[in-house]
Amino acid sequence: MIGILGGTFDPVHFGHLRTALDVQQQLGLAQVRLIPLRDPPHRGTPALDAKQRLSLLQAAVADAPEFSVDTRELERDGKSYTLDTLQSLKSEQPSRTLCLLLGSDAFRQFPDWHRPREILELAHLVVMQRPGEADPAHYPERITHQAERLATRQAGLILPLQVTQLEISATAIRGMLRQGRSPRFLLPDPVLRLIRQRGLYLDD
Ligand code: ATP
């Protein structure tokens, strides 16, 4: 099984990395693929272009063998739909079980995504939750609390999983940089070094 975490990563921070590692460790995933979006369907244009966001992401995980960076959405024209990404991963490795990692906030919007039912035919969903948070509301018949069940089917289950809570957002980090404040210890040092060297995120 592999995990998939899509995002704008504008920039990548410890909120992304620690939670993805929590899931990788709890489920024993062979790896987690971080997949930067080129053109997010549900939000505005990222502050940095795709090439810059990608190089920050690669710097973040250069010495983390649990992660790999997958550039397929950056190479594809048009909106970045998760369904297209899953179909493309599946055609490369049909026997590999895919687990799509989502924050519980993101999961609340999931029924409005492009063809959610087809996504569930290709992958399991792992919904990353806060301690004590109630089960996600959608698709109750698919929810399981037994992680080992994911290995018994190729797709279609929804596993709520508790992960480390880090109140970090890329928006807040960009705000700090714009105001000349340091976001150190919220994101990996090599990422911050590149941001400073290149003078990124200094204006709106
Ligand atoms: P922004 O502040 O610009 O919205 P973000 O970091 O929240 O940025 P993305 O880079 O698009 O947004 O996030 C990708 C994925 O990582 C999403 O599924 C999101 O729910 C999750 N994520 C983001 N920040 C955290 C965090 N602090 N803890 C856990 N998951 C997070």
Side-chain angles (χ1 to χ4, degrees):
M1 288 203 293
I2 64 167
I4 293 154
L5 179 66
T8 32
F9 302 117
D10 190 21
V12 62
H13 54 69
F14 285 137
H16 304 123
L17 298 169
R18 180 62 235 180
T19 52
L21 188 64
D22 280 341
V23 177
Q24 185 271 334
Q25 300 273 301
Q26 290 188 63
L27 300 186
L29 300 174
Q31 60 169 209
V32 175
R33 285 199 192 197
L34 303 171
I35 308 191
L37 294 157
R38 197 177 81 109
D39 189 359
H42 297 297
R43 49 195 284 168
T45 311
L48 290 191
D49 66 30
K51 222 167 132 189
Q52 296 270 29
R53 288 183 286 119
L54 174 63
S55 62
L56 299 183
L57 195 52
Q58 285 167 331
V61 299
D63 63 355
E66 299 85 354
F67 293 107
S68 68
V69 178
D70 186 312
T71 59
R72 74 190 64 218
E73 292 197 359
L74 303 182
E75 287 147 15
R76 218 166 51 214
D77 284 340
K79 294 276 178 201
S80 301
Y81 289 117
T82 300
L83 181 63
D84 299 333
T85 302
L86 295 175
Q87 279 167 338
S88 143
L89 285 163
K90 209 65 192 172
S91 65
E92 280 172 16
Q93 293 181 301
S95 63
R96 195 143 231 200
T97 303
L98 306 176
C99 298
L100 186 62
L101 278 45
L102 282 181
S104 51
D105 291 358
F107 183 69
R108 272 191 269 284
Q109 317 297 324
F110 180 75
D112 301 326
W113 286 23
H114 182 62
R115 303 193 181 163
R117 298 249 168 212
E118 288 173 55
I119 291 178
L120 283 162
E121 284 167 22
L122 291 174
H124 295 307
L125 299 191
V126 177
V127 181
M128 303 183 287
Q129 294 199 297
R130 295 168 197 280
E133 196 175 349
D135 271 353
H138 312 300
Y139 313 106
E141 70 287 359
R142 295 176 179 273
I143 292 177
T144 179
H145 293 280
Q146 293 164 284
E148 51 301 345
R149 280 193 66 206
L150 301 195
T152 68
R153 288 177 55 171
Q154 276 282 311
L157 294 174
I158 298 173
L159 178 77
L161 212 61
Q162 205 171 295
V163 294
T164 309
Q165 294 305 301
L166 293 166
E167 205 55 54
I168 303 174
S169 80
T171 306
I173 291 174
R174 293 195 301 273
M176 290 178 193
L177 288 161
R178 222 169 27 240
Q179 293 159 18
R181 292 187 289 132
S182 173
R184 196 165 175 216
F185 306 127
L186 297 176
L187 72 177
D189 279 340
V191 175
L192 185 55
R193 257 196 303 278
L194 283 180
I195 289 173
R196 296 227 190 274
Q197 275 166 14
R198 296 174 185 174
L200 304 175
Y201 298 117
L202 294 178
D203 38 45
D204 292 322

